[in-house]
Amino acid sequence: MKIILASSNSHKLKEFKVLLNDYEIYSSNDFIAPFEIEENGKSFKENAKIKSLAVFKALKNEVQENYIVLSDDSGICVDALGGAPGIYSARYSLEANDKNNRLKLISELEKLKLNESFAHYVCALSLSTKFGTFSVSAKMYGKIITKEKGENGFGYDSLFIPANYDKTLAELSDEEKNAISHRFKALKLAKILLKTLQKAYQ
């Protein structure tokens, strides 16, 4: 079964190709020109659904017949900040990029005179198909710190220490991270859906 990832993020594409290595994974850029999708949902699940449906509807009919569109909306929720940045994780800072987003998060914690806080990552996945749209989600718990550690990963990984670990995600290998990540957990659930859908596509 062939899957189109509704993202142009090369980091995400790489992760999904590893985590879904039983399937053919393509970027939406391989089929359609990138276009702006207004993520105006109030939850990770709603935004993931908005993205997968938007890309699916933009595909040609013959592609819709044979491909599934997979999107994810993920981010980090920090307890001390009332759950922020949450669904705004990717656009948290004024000039939104990974580095600036991390710097703002550190700044917000330092304003509270904190150098760490409980936090959790969320990943919501949406699969849009000719049979309808389906969603799953999962979380990874741990804590946020205000000193960056590690060179791997992306996003907030250099600030996040998973529960029962003493290293940030950015200090773990790809294999170690993928074994515990919110995205891995969500994909385990998505694979159940994919197996069911695979029978329908045969």
Side-chain angles (χ1 to χ4, degrees), residues 12 20 23 28 47-48 50 60 74 86 93 95 107 123-124 128-129 140 144 151 162 196:
K12 283 187 180 182
L20 287 174
Y23 301 92
S28 55
N47 281 335
I50 287 168
K60 294 180 179 178
S74 54
S93 59
E95 295 183 21
S107 174
C123 176
S128 288
T129 79
M140 173 174 52
I144 275 287
E151 302 294 331
T196 302

Side-chain angles (χ1 to χ4, degrees), residues 163-182:
N164 302 316
Y165 281 75
D166 58 4
K167 295 180 179 180
T168 68
L169 288 176
E171 293 179 291
L172 301 179
S173 68
D174 289 345
E175 291 76 16
E176 289 173 313
K177 176 186 172 181
N178 288 341
I180 61 169
S181 77
H182 50 306

Side-chain angles (χ1 to χ4, degrees), residues 12-38:
K12 283 187 180 182
L13 184 63
K14 179 183 175 184
E15 277 195 3
F16 276 102
K17 283 186 173 181
V18 171
L19 295 169
L20 287 174
N21 57 12
D22 292 335
Y23 301 92
E24 293 181 46
I25 311 292
Y26 301 89
S27 167
S28 55
N29 291 353
D30 296 332
F31 296 86
I32 53 176
F35 64 98
E36 192 71 27
I37 299 173
E38 185 180 3

Side-chain angles (χ1 to χ4, degrees), residues 47-197:
N47 281 335
K49 186 175 181 180
I50 287 168
K51 285 188 279 190
S52 67
L53 276 173
V55 171
F56 187 79
K57 289 176 180 178
L59 297 170
K60 294 180 179 178
N61 289 340
E62 59 267 27
V63 179
Q64 291 179 346
E65 280 294 312
N66 298 295
Y67 289 76
I68 287 173
V69 173
L70 171 65
S71 72
D72 94 306
D73 197 58
S74 54
I76 195 160
C77 303
V78 180
D79 290 20
L81 301 178
I87 60 173
Y88 303 105
S89 293
R91 49 192 191 278
Y92 190 41
S93 59
L94 190 60
E95 295 183 21
N97 59 44
D98 284 354
K99 182 178 180 180
N100 287 337
N101 289 339
R102 290 193 299 270
L103 289 174
K104 180 176 180 183
L105 183 55
I106 291 168
S107 174
E108 293 300 313
L109 287 173
E110 288 179 340
K111 286 178 185 177
L112 300 174
K113 296 182 169 35
L114 296 173
N115 56 25
E116 65 177 50
S117 169
F118 288 116
H120 63 274
Y121 267 112
V122 179
C123 176
L125 299 177
S126 179
L127 295 89
S128 288
T129 79
K130 61 184 178 182
F131 301 110
T133 296
F134 311 89
S135 302
V136 296
S137 65
K139 298 177 180 179
M140 173 174 52
Y141 290 91
K143 66 179 181 179
I144 275 287
I145 58 176
T146 54
K147 183 179 178 181
E148 294 198 49
K149 295 182 180 180
E151 302 294 331
N152 297 327
F154 59 99
Y156 299 89
D157 287 355
S158 60
L159 299 174
F160 185 83
I161 299 176
N164 302 316
Y165 281 75
D166 58 4
K167 295 180 179 180
T168 68
L169 288 176
E171 293 179 291
L172 301 179
S173 68
D174 289 345
E175 291 76 16
E176 289 173 313
K177 176 186 172 181
N178 288 341
I180 61 169
S181 77
H182 50 306
R183 191 164 289 121
F184 171 78
K185 293 174 183 176
L187 280 168
K188 280 183 72 175
L189 298 173
K191 284 180 179 180
I192 299 171
L193 287 173
L194 288 169
K195 285 182 179 179
T196 302
L197 287 166

